[in-house]
């Protein structure tokens, strides 16, 4: 089963992707992870991507799609995959259709007010990267990670001005994908304004594991 998770930042895509990956035995793939892996392994594309990122540029659609295509050919994707954060634009979606067109697209629906509440209250562990939310899912000890005891901090892109900017970018660049995939009959909407455990129950009803 091949999935694309669509939705604004803070919609809960990453949380559900982790749960679905575990339940369905398929990898959760983000473009950030692909970039980091290729940069770390110093692949030809990784070297090229690092140079672009170090210069403050944006990685081209062509290079991003090449990296995604290479990742989807790996053995752990044989049963399926979850793409999170790709495609971001119509050209990327059109390119993906040529690489892999048997996908189910899940659109996470949530309003801006809840997104801002989720992201502005998010805290991340400096040591292990675990996520918390001081309003909805606080750590047992304020400022400390439950898992490793590391210090929790607020990411720069979780500050209000940055959140507003990220939402604007999403609405302009990525939201058009909803219409693109709806026209193709591949889109399923899911209400992600609830606890992730409730969203997972709905997801499993919509997409029973094979």
């Amino acid at each position: 089963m091949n999935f694309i998770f669509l939705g604004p930042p803070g919609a809960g895509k990453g949380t559900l992707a982790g749960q679905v990956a575990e339940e369905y035995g398929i990898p959760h793939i983000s473009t950030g992870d692909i970039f980091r892996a290729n940069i770390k392994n110093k692949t030809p594309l990784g070297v090229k991507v690092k140079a672009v990122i170090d210069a403050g540029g944006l990685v081209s659609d062509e290079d991003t799609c090449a990296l995604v295509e290479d990742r989807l050919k790996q053995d752990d994707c044989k049963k399926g995959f979850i793409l999170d954060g790709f495609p971001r634009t119509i050209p990327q979606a059109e390119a993906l259709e040529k690489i892999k067109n048997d996908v189910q697209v899940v659109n996470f629906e949530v309003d801006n007010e809840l997104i801002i509440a989720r992201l502005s209250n998010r805290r991340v562990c400096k040591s292990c990267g675990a996520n918390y939310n001081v309003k909805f899912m606080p750590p047992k000890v304020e400022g400390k990670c439950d898992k490793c005891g590391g210090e929790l901090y607020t990411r720069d892109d979780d500050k209000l001005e940055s959140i507003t900017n990220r939402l604007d970018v999403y609405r302009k660049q990525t939201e058009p994908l909803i219409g693109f995939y709806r026209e193709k009959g591949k889109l399923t909407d899911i209400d992600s304004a609830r606890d992730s455990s409730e969203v997972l129950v709905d997801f499993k009803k919509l997409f029973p594991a094979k």
Side-chain angles (χ1 to χ4, degrees):
M1 301 179 82
N2 305 325
F3 296 105
I4 294 169
F5 281 8
L6 276 185
K13 301 186 300 298
T15 300
L16 192 74
Q19 294 170 330
V20 171
E22 192 172 329
E23 293 246 357
Y24 287 55
I26 57 178
H28 168 205
I29 301 168
S30 75
T31 46
D33 291 340
I34 297 173
F35 289 168
R36 284 187 286 275
N38 277 269
I39 290 168
K40 183 181 177 183
N41 296 326
K42 297 182 180 176
T43 66
L45 270 172
V47 171
K48 188 176 179 183
V49 163
K50 185 176 187 301
V52 172
I53 292 171
D54 287 350
L58 292 172
V59 181
S60 71
D61 282 352
E62 184 182 356
D63 288 339
T64 302
C65 291
L67 286 166
V68 170
E69 182 174 13
D70 178 67
R71 178 67 184 87
L72 297 183
K73 287 177 180 173
Q74 293 177 24
D75 286 347
D76 64 340
C77 292
K78 284 181 178 174
K79 279 179 64 182
F81 56 80
I82 304 159
L83 279 174
D84 172 13
F86 181 90
R88 289 184 186 272
T89 62
I90 298 287
Q92 286 183 357
E94 289 171 340
L96 183 62
E97 286 285 299
K98 294 172 186 172
I99 298 167
K100 202 86 174 171
N101 63 7
D102 55 333
V103 294
Q104 299 280 344
V105 183
V106 184
N107 178 40
F108 289 67
E109 295 189 305
V110 61
D111 64 40
N112 277 11
E113 191 176 329
L114 182 55
I115 287 170
I116 290 167
R118 281 177 174 174
L119 293 180
S120 61
N121 288 292
R122 179 162 63 180
R123 301 293 182 268
V124 182
C125 175
K126 283 185 177 178
S127 301
C128 73
N131 280 280
Y132 297 88
N133 188 292
V134 293
K135 188 171 182 181
F136 305 113
M137 193 179 71
K140 291 172 185 170
V141 178
E142 188 178 345
K144 296 287 181 187
C145 176
D146 293 351
K147 295 178 182 177
C148 72
E151 182 187 346
L152 303 184
Y153 75 105
T154 303
R155 287 173 14 178
D156 285 342
D157 58 352
D158 284 342
K159 290 170 183 172
L160 188 57
E161 187 179 341
S162 183
I163 293 168
T164 306
N165 182 55
R166 287 165 69 196
L167 287 171
D168 286 345
V169 169
Y170 171 79
R171 303 293 180 206
K172 287 172 188 168
Q173 284 190 358
T174 309
E175 205 167 51
L177 290 173
I178 295 169
F180 176 85
Y181 283 117
R182 204 183 294 283
E183 276 184 25
K184 293 183 179 293
K186 296 182 177 182
L187 191 86
T188 302
D189 296 315
I190 196 162
D191 173 13
S192 64
R194 301 162 296 158
D195 185 88
S196 63
S197 60
E198 294 176 46
V199 181
L200 180 62
V201 169
D202 272 7
F203 183 93
K204 288 163 77 174
K205 286 177 186 172
L206 290 164
F207 307 102
K210 293 178 181 177

